[in-house]
Amino acid sequence: MEALSLSYPAVGAIAAAFIAGLTSLLVTILAKDHKVSEFRQEWINDLRNDAAELVSHLSITSLILRYQQMLGDAGKDVPQVEMATYKEFVVAQACILRIRMRLNPKDHSGLLEALQKLDFGPEGTLHHHPHTLRAFTEEVRKVISSEWDSIKKGEPWVRAVKFSAIATILLSVCAVGWKLVAS
């Protein structure tokens, strides 16, 4: 019985096909990772915009209410600003809802707790202490920083695939080089 032997051209063709397949897989994974990073970047920008809009509207509302209270305490006529306050309330409530729908309760519990303190539900109020607004802003910064780190590093499974692909290619090159040197 004659042993099956592979010639160098056949081994080369098989190795080339294997490397081409790995390269194609790696390119596909990197393209997907890039698209996920784009979506995450958009998510970060939207969260930042909504948080800034929310804090600015709540700050304006607090200033309006303090101004009304100061005038009332001084015995002066209080201008009718209910309509302005109502508009601020509507915009702030929309921001709160958009932010809440973006967040995952498992991953963003600190920000959701800070957001709950700003909500106008049964326990909420239109007057917010600056400390509460700063605490919310700090929680937003933490979430954005964490998401930026994820973008920079990439998803853990993508890093593992990249490492595996590079290791496989290097091992393949070393094996082919050793085979050439040994013969």
Side-chain angles (χ1 to χ4, degrees):
M1 181 179 274
E2 204 173 301
L4 180 65
S5 69
L6 292 175
S7 64
Y8 283 117
V11 172
I14 291 171
F18 180 71
I19 291 172
L22 279 177
T23 303
S24 174
L25 176 66
L26 187 60
V27 167
T28 301
I29 290 170
L30 291 174
K32 182 181 183 291
D33 184 49
H34 180 69
K35 196 64 177 172
V36 168
S37 293
E38 285 179 13
F39 286 137
R40 190 167 281 189
Q41 173 65 45
E42 184 178 336
W43 184 91
I44 287 171
N45 289 339
D46 290 344
L47 177 63
R48 182 185 296 118
N49 291 340
D50 281 340
E53 186 175 0
L54 174 62
V55 170
S56 68
H57 283 284
L58 292 178
S59 297
I60 289 168
T61 303
S62 282
L63 286 173
I64 291 171
L65 293 174
R66 275 194 294 243
Y67 178 68
Q68 281 182 319
Q69 185 178 5
M70 284 175 27
L71 288 177
D73 290 347
K76 297 184 179 180
D77 289 334
V78 178
Q80 297 299 321
V81 292
E82 286 87 17
M83 198 61 180
T85 305
Y86 175 76
K87 289 177 183 176
E88 297 296 328
F89 170 79
V90 170
V91 172
Q93 192 63 33
C95 290
I96 288 172
L97 292 174
R98 281 194 306 267
I99 292 169
R100 185 174 287 133
M101 289 190 311
R102 267 191 201 100
L103 301 177
N104 182 344
K106 295 176 187 173
D107 299 333
H108 307 113
S109 59
L111 181 53
L112 284 169
E113 287 174 20
L115 186 63
Q116 183 63 35
K117 293 177 183 173
L118 299 179
D119 201 350
F120 302 114
E123 300 163 11
T125 175
L126 285 174
H127 183 71
H128 292 90
H129 192 276
H131 173 73
T132 307
L133 296 175
R134 281 192 300 274
F136 171 74
T137 303
E138 187 55 38
E139 285 298 322
V140 170
R141 282 189 189 126
K142 288 178 188 175
V143 169
I144 288 174
S145 176
S146 170
E147 295 299 323
W148 268 115
D149 288 343
S150 294
I151 288 175
K152 285 189 278 186
K153 293 177 186 174
E155 298 292 328
W157 67 272
V158 173
R159 289 193 312 251
V161 168
K162 287 179 193 177
F163 176 76
S164 299
I166 291 170
T168 302
I169 290 171
L170 288 176
L171 288 173
S172 299
V173 168
C174 289
V176 169
W178 188 29
K179 181 69 175 169
L180 290 175
V181 170
S183 56

